[in-house]
């Protein structure tokens, strides 16, 4: 990480912190600043952007890490559904902070409910700042992760602002990763 890489092809990315979709052309020099949860935060001459794991090949990253995530997902298949949901939420990261949304204290509530014979996950989460343009992208990432669980028929992620997030909500694990303890 923190080594300049040249994109081998054009990729769609999400601009940080605005959350706008942008296209990074082939041959764009980037520096990977964070690689967590299957996404890559890169620094470009125009600022930070998030690149999906689907475009890892454009960064010259082999599929080995992706295969390891698949093996881990396979191991989780026998776990209770609630555990699988929390595991998937722990794979979602704010692209500017190297701690998952669960350990950051951003997930306020998560339930698995039966609605007319369908398993529905309902997540209430917040952001570190109300004006964060990445909010919809982070929420969509959480929803997409939960939907990878075979037993789940629907996932609804709601952004809420009450109570306002503060650093006391970060778990001990999160604080350790951030060097706060």
């Amino acid at each position: 990480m923190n080594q300049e890489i040249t994109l081998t092809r054009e990729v769609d990315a999400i601009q940080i912190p605005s959350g706008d979709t942008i296209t990074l052309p082939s041959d764009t020099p980037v520096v990977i600043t964070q690689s967590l949860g299957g996404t890559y935060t890169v620094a470009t001459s125009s600022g930070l952007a998030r690149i999906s794991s689907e475009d890892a090949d454009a960064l010259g990253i082999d599929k080995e890490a992706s295969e390891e995530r698949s093996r881990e997902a396979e191991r989780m298949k026998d776990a209770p559904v609630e555990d699988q949901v929390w595991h998937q939420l722990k794979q979602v990261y704010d692209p500017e902070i190297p701690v998952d949304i669960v350990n950051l204290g951003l997930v306020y509530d998560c339930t698995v409910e039966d609605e007319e014979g369908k398993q529905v996950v309902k997540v209430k989460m917040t952001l570190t700042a109300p004006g964060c343009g990445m909010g919809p992208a982070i929420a969509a990432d959480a929803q997409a992760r939960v939907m990878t669980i075979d037993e789940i028929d629907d996932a609804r992620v709601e952004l809420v602002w009450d109570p306002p997030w503060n650093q006391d909500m970060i778990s001990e694990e999160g604080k350790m990763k951030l060097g706060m303890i």
Side-chain angles (χ1 to χ4, degrees), residues 36-78:
L36 297 167
T39 62
Y40 303 90
T41 301
V42 298
T44 72
S45 61
S46 302
L48 295 176
R50 185 174 84 167
I51 295 176
S52 167
S53 60
E54 296 167 2
D55 294 314
D57 63 297
L59 294 165
I61 296 172
D62 66 25
K63 297 290 183 183
E64 192 173 307
S66 176
E67 290 169 5
E68 175 57 31
R69 283 191 299 277
S70 295
R71 286 190 292 273
E72 186 174 344
E74 190 63 34
R75 287 190 297 270
M76 284 299 298
K77 281 189 177 224
D78 294 330

Side-chain angles (χ1 to χ4, degrees), residues 61-166:
I61 296 172
D62 66 25
K63 297 290 183 183
E64 192 173 307
S66 176
E67 290 169 5
E68 175 57 31
R69 283 191 299 277
S70 295
R71 286 190 292 273
E72 186 174 344
E74 190 63 34
R75 287 190 297 270
M76 284 299 298
K77 281 189 177 224
D78 294 330
V81 172
E82 292 83 4
D83 292 351
Q84 292 182 53
V85 170
W86 284 104
H87 173 76
Q88 289 301 324
L89 291 173
K90 285 184 176 183
Q91 307 310 305
V92 179
Y93 290 80
D94 180 315
E96 296 178 293
I97 305 171
V99 176
D100 65 81
I101 63 172
V102 173
N103 282 301
L104 264 179
L106 299 181
V107 178
Y108 288 168
D109 189 41
C110 177
T111 60
V112 179
E113 300 176 9
D114 186 300
E115 289 186 3
E116 300 176 9
K118 295 191 182 293
Q119 291 282 353
V120 178
V121 174
K122 295 180 180 177
V123 176
K124 288 185 180 179
M125 65 171 288
T126 195
L127 303 170
T128 56
C132 176
M134 291 299 294
I138 296 168
D141 193 14
Q143 180 183 30
R145 291 282 186 167
V146 170
M147 289 301 297
T148 65
I149 302 168
D150 290 338
E151 293 87 350
I152 301 302
D153 297 298
D154 191 16
R156 302 176 192 145
V157 178
E158 178 185 359
L159 289 174
V160 297
W161 307 109
D162 190 35
W165 180 86
N166 65 70

Side-chain angles (χ1 to χ4, degrees), residues 1-37:
M1 245 188 316
N2 291 327
Q3 178 180 1
E4 188 171 286
I5 299 168
T6 301
L7 293 177
T8 59
R9 64 176 175 79
E10 179 179 277
V11 297
D12 288 331
I14 299 174
Q15 190 172 29
I16 301 169
S18 71
D20 296 330
T21 300
I22 59 173
T23 299
L24 298 174
S26 180
D27 298 323
T28 299
V30 301
V31 174
I32 299 173
T33 61
Q34 182 168 282
S35 171
L36 297 167

